[in-house]
């Protein structure tokens, strides 16, 4: 089954590179998945440009093709792209595909702000975290305002409170400048 890479996919360039490498080496998606310790659907997600592999999978994949991780991924700052991927994944878990797509579009739209080089790296990180915080707050306010009363349940209220806790985590990170808890992927089982 041939997956189509959407031009607006966040990792379209990587998807094209991975598919070309896989096909040139004569591997099926399932064979590559097996060598990397993931399921076949994960390779499909990589090849349609919606995800990039985490560090452990990227290292295994790079070894399969005899490349460095940087050459495989084709990104100068792989760690930053991983953080972006994890943040978008978190937003998808909280708000669904639509929320992820809207956040990705917002991120893409603000990238021109960084292109001019007027903000330091630390200021850029702070800006991105503040935008994430604003996104969470705006979404929760919209849910509270526009969700009909008959659909407001204690479970949904609890879920909203959990999302608002993410805002507190972002604020703590901004104050402490430590490893952000919302990027902790130690329990990922990809």
């Amino acid at each position: 089954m041939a997956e189509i890479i959407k031009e607006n996919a966040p990792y379209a360039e990587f998807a094209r590179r991975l598919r070309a490498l896989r096909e040139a080496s004569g591997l099926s998606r399932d064979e590559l998945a097996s060598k990397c310790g993931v399921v076949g659907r994960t390779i499909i997600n990589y090849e349609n440009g919606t995800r990039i592999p985490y560090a452990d999978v990227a290292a295994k994949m790079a070894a399969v093709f005899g490349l460095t991780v940087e050459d495989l991924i084709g990104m100068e700052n792989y760690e930053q792209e991983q953080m972006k991927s994890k943040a978008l994944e978190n937003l998808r878990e909280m708000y669904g595909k639509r929320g992820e797509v809207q956040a990705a579009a917002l991120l893409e739209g603000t990238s021109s702000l960084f292109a001019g080089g007027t903000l330091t790296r630390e200021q850029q990180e702070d800006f991105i975290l503040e935008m994430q915080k604003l996104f969470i707050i705006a979404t929760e306010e919209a849910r509270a305002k526009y969700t009909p009363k008959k659909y407001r349940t204690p479970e949904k209220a609890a879920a909203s409170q959990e999302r608002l806790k993410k805002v507190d985590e972002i604020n703590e990170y901004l104050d402490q400048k430590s490893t952000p808890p919302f990027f902790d992927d130690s329990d990922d089982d990809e």
Side-chain angles (χ1 to χ4, degrees), residues 133-153:
K133 183 172 82 172
L134 290 174
F135 178 80
I136 292 169
I137 291 170
T139 304
E140 291 309 313
E141 287 177 355
R143 284 179 188 220
K145 185 175 181 179
Y146 298 110
T147 301
K149 288 183 182 179
K150 68 180 182 180
Y151 296 112
R152 295 181 193 172
T153 64

Side-chain angles (χ1 to χ4, degrees), residues 84-151:
K84 173 184 164 185
S85 177
K86 184 66 176 173
L88 289 173
E89 186 178 309
N90 288 344
L91 288 170
R92 182 182 189 136
E93 289 171 9
M94 290 190 298
Y95 302 108
K97 178 69 176 167
R98 180 179 282 173
E100 177 189 26
V101 169
Q102 290 173 346
L106 179 63
L107 184 61
E108 186 67 28
T110 58
S111 65
S112 61
L113 174 67
F114 303 137
T118 57
L119 299 177
T120 67
R121 180 169 170 82
E122 184 176 295
Q123 290 170 328
Q124 290 175 5
E125 290 170 358
D126 289 347
F127 177 82
I128 290 170
L129 290 170
E130 285 295 331
M131 291 303 294
Q132 186 177 13
K133 183 172 82 172
L134 290 174
F135 178 80
I136 292 169
I137 291 170
T139 304
E140 291 309 313
E141 287 177 355
R143 284 179 188 220
K145 185 175 181 179
Y146 298 110
T147 301
K149 288 183 182 179
K150 68 180 182 180
Y151 296 112

Side-chain angles (χ1 to χ4, degrees), residues 39-58:
V39 296
R41 182 68 202 166
T42 301
I43 300 299
I44 291 172
N45 286 336
Y46 298 156
E47 287 190 2
N48 70 18
T50 59
R51 301 276 183 260
I52 59 171
Y54 291 120
D56 59 333
V57 176

